[in-house]
Amino acid sequence: MVVTGLGGNPIAVLAKQLNLELMPIKQDCPLYEFTGQMVPKERDERVEREFNRLLEATTYMSHQLNVNSINGRPVSLGQALEIIIKLQIRQVKEKQLKHGRERCEIQEKLNHIQQALFPLHEKIKDSHSKYLELKMKHEELSDQLGEVIRDQKAEFEVKAATRSCWKHLPNMMLS
């Protein structure tokens, strides 16, 4: 048996009266897994912090919220811990649902943007093919005449087609 707090402890008094030998326990008391391996210190500390947090929550529930009984029956520490854990699980599930909804909204916005980009992509492909066509004509004429020729009408058509594609892009990104 382990007796903690010998000063004023009736168990310690009984042990003394019965001449039982009490052995001091070191502060360093390692925990072991069921496999016989020592529990890593970080995990032990994490579990202890979580347990202490749960105890604080049950204390708050009992003292601040005055929840000490359910249906006229007193609430034990174990029941209070179960209630707190169930509330935490519920809170996590609500956060997961909210995250899922936000993710769906973002996906819908992305789909909207992609649908708006598709016609622009087609316009850009058409403009590029017109550009390549005009460039080939320009090179052919330049080769035939032996000098560089500028077809201002063709240049204007290419620039206008390109500008119309890019003009729609900022508006689409804002919506």
Side-chain angles (χ1 to χ4, degrees):
M1 175 181 350
V2 176
V3 179
T4 56
L6 296 178
N9 190 333
I11 301 290
V13 173
L14 282 174
K16 195 172 201 180
Q17 289 174 354
L18 296 171
N19 289 329
L20 295 175
E21 184 179 351
L22 296 175
M23 302 288 295
I25 298 177
K26 298 178 194 172
Q27 284 292 86
D28 185 27
C29 185
L31 296 176
Y32 292 92
E33 300 269 0
F34 68 94
T35 59
Q37 303 236 339
M38 200 154 86
V39 174
K41 185 175 176 106
E42 306 84 43
R43 187 185 320 154
D44 181 33
E45 289 172 352
R46 235 182 6 244
V47 169
E48 184 179 3
R49 274 194 309 271
E50 181 61 22
F51 182 72
N52 288 334
R53 202 172 64 74
L54 286 170
L55 287 178
E56 288 174 14
T58 56
T59 301
Y60 178 80
M61 185 175 89
S62 174
H63 297 297
Q64 301 297 323
L65 301 178
N66 205 21
V67 177
N68 296 314
S69 63
I70 297 178
N71 296 330
R73 293 184 177 166
V75 177
S76 69
L77 176 60
Q79 291 169 326
L81 287 171
E82 286 178 13
I83 291 169
I84 297 295
I85 291 170
K86 285 178 183 177
L87 288 172
Q88 287 179 339
I89 290 170
R90 181 178 174 194
Q91 186 180 27
V92 167
K93 287 183 180 181
E94 287 173 355
K95 284 183 180 181
Q96 287 173 337
L97 286 172
K98 180 182 175 193
H99 175 74
R101 280 189 224 106
E102 290 172 352
R103 190 172 165 202
C104 286
E105 289 173 8
I106 290 171
Q107 188 67 38
E108 287 175 11
K109 287 179 183 178
L110 179 63
N111 286 341
H112 175 71
I113 290 171
Q114 286 177 333
Q115 288 172 356
L117 280 176
F118 184 74
L120 288 178
H121 179 69
E122 294 300 317
K123 281 185 177 181
I124 290 171
K125 281 182 10 182
D126 290 343
S127 295
H128 184 67
S129 63
K130 285 180 185 176
Y131 167 76
L132 291 177
E133 186 180 308
L134 290 172
K135 182 179 176 187
M136 285 180 60
K137 284 183 184 177
H138 180 268
E139 288 173 356
E140 287 174 9
L141 282 173
S142 295
D143 288 344
Q144 288 174 0
L145 298 174
E147 61 184 65
V148 177
I149 303 173
R150 285 187 61 199
D151 184 355
Q152 292 176 344
K153 182 180 175 190
E155 285 181 26
F156 178 77
E157 288 175 2
V158 169
K159 287 181 182 180
T162 306
R163 186 172 290 128
S164 72
C165 289
W166 289 108
K167 180 174 69 175
H168 297 293
L169 191 61
N171 295 337
M172 199 181 65
M173 298 303 259
L174 293 174
S175 60

